[in-house]
């Protein structure tokens, strides 16, 4: 299924760091910032998570919830959240089914080695579950500010 801005975002049902089941449908009435990242505790992923943490209150004022998704297990997510004081849930996608549904489970290359992994990406989903905007191959620097600005401008037009 191709993701098309303005169309329904793929629904999902994943557990979070506490083992609680989280579904996209749980957030009807709120905007959802769904970001996919490769691995807890790595430099780029830590910077991205902390940037979302630091902007969390501003996103809340725009009726938005932040959810991170990676293949790491709940125990690793809990450590990551505790170490960095993250005020949002991290979802477990060990079988990468949701990453595949969003088209972010891709062939990657590093140091001449090929492997399957998460392509750092962010999806903005509106209060009705429609995909508003997709950012793919995200560079962490200034990304959260870009997401915030886009959401703030989009909110004004609604």
């Amino acid at each position: 299924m191709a993701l098309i801005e303005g169309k329904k975002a793929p629904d999902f049902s994943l557990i979070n760091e506490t083992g609680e089941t989280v579904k996209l449908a749980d957030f009807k009435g709120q905007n959802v910032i769904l970001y996919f990242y490769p691995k807890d505790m790595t430099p780029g992923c830590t910077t991205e998570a902390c940037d979302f943490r630091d902007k969390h209150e501003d996103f809340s004022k725009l009726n938005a919830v932040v959810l991170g998704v990676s293949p790491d297990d709940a125990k690793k997510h809990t450590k990551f959240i505790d170490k960095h004081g993250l005020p949002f849930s991290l979802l477990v996608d060990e079988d990468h089914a949701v990453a595949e549904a969003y088209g972010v489970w891709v062939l990657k290359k590093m140091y001449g080695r090929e492997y399957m992994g998460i392509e750092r990406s962010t999806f903005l989903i509106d209060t009705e579950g429609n995909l508003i905007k997709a950012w793919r191959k995200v560079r962490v620097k200034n990304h959260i500010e870009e997401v915030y600005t886009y959401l703030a401008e989009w909110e004004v037009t609604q």
Side-chain angles (χ1 to χ4, degrees):
M1 177 180 121
L3 292 180
I4 301 169
E5 291 177 5
K7 300 290 185 190
K8 284 283 181 204
D11 201 3
F12 58 81
S13 179
L14 295 171
I15 63 164
N16 68 8
E17 69 283 352
T18 64
E20 180 183 359
T21 300
V22 176
K23 300 175 188 161
L24 179 58
D26 296 341
F27 300 99
K28 188 170 172 75
Q30 291 181 285
N31 297 307
V32 176
I33 299 162
L34 185 68
Y35 82 96
F36 290 84
Y37 65 99
K39 192 167 179 51
D40 293 337
M41 303 291 187
T42 58
C45 297
T46 298
T47 298
E48 184 177 29
C50 290
D51 287 351
F52 272 120
R53 175 200 65 202
D54 296 346
K55 203 76 173 160
H56 189 262
E57 192 173 313
D58 294 329
F59 283 122
S60 293
K61 290 176 184 173
L62 294 176
N63 189 32
V65 62
V66 174
L67 298 170
V69 181
S70 89
D72 289 319
D73 63 27
K75 189 175 179 182
K76 287 181 185 172
H77 283 344
T78 298
K79 286 181 181 175
F80 194 40
I81 287 169
D82 290 347
K83 182 172 183 176
H84 298 288
L86 304 181
F88 50 84
S89 278
L90 299 177
L91 308 180
V92 177
D93 190 22
E94 286 179 304
D95 66 359
H96 45 80
V98 176
E100 287 181 38
Y102 278 81
V104 301
W105 186 253
V106 300
L107 183 65
K108 299 173 82 174
K109 295 178 184 183
M110 183 184 291
Y111 307 120
R113 188 174 70 91
E114 290 186 342
Y115 61 97
M116 295 300 290
I118 297 280
E119 177 181 83
R120 189 182 310 278
S121 303
T122 302
F123 298 90
L124 184 55
I125 301 165
D126 73 10
T127 58
E128 297 299 314
N130 297 311
L131 179 65
I132 303 169
K133 177 78 174 154
W135 290 269
R136 296 183 179 275
K137 297 182 182 178
V138 165
R139 296 254 184 246
V140 174
K141 187 174 173 63
N142 301 319
H143 174 62
I144 280 66
E145 200 57 49
E146 183 182 355
V147 173
Y148 176 78
T149 300
Y150 188 92
L151 178 57
E153 290 173 359
W154 184 83
E155 277 287 302
V156 168
T157 65
Q158 299 308 301

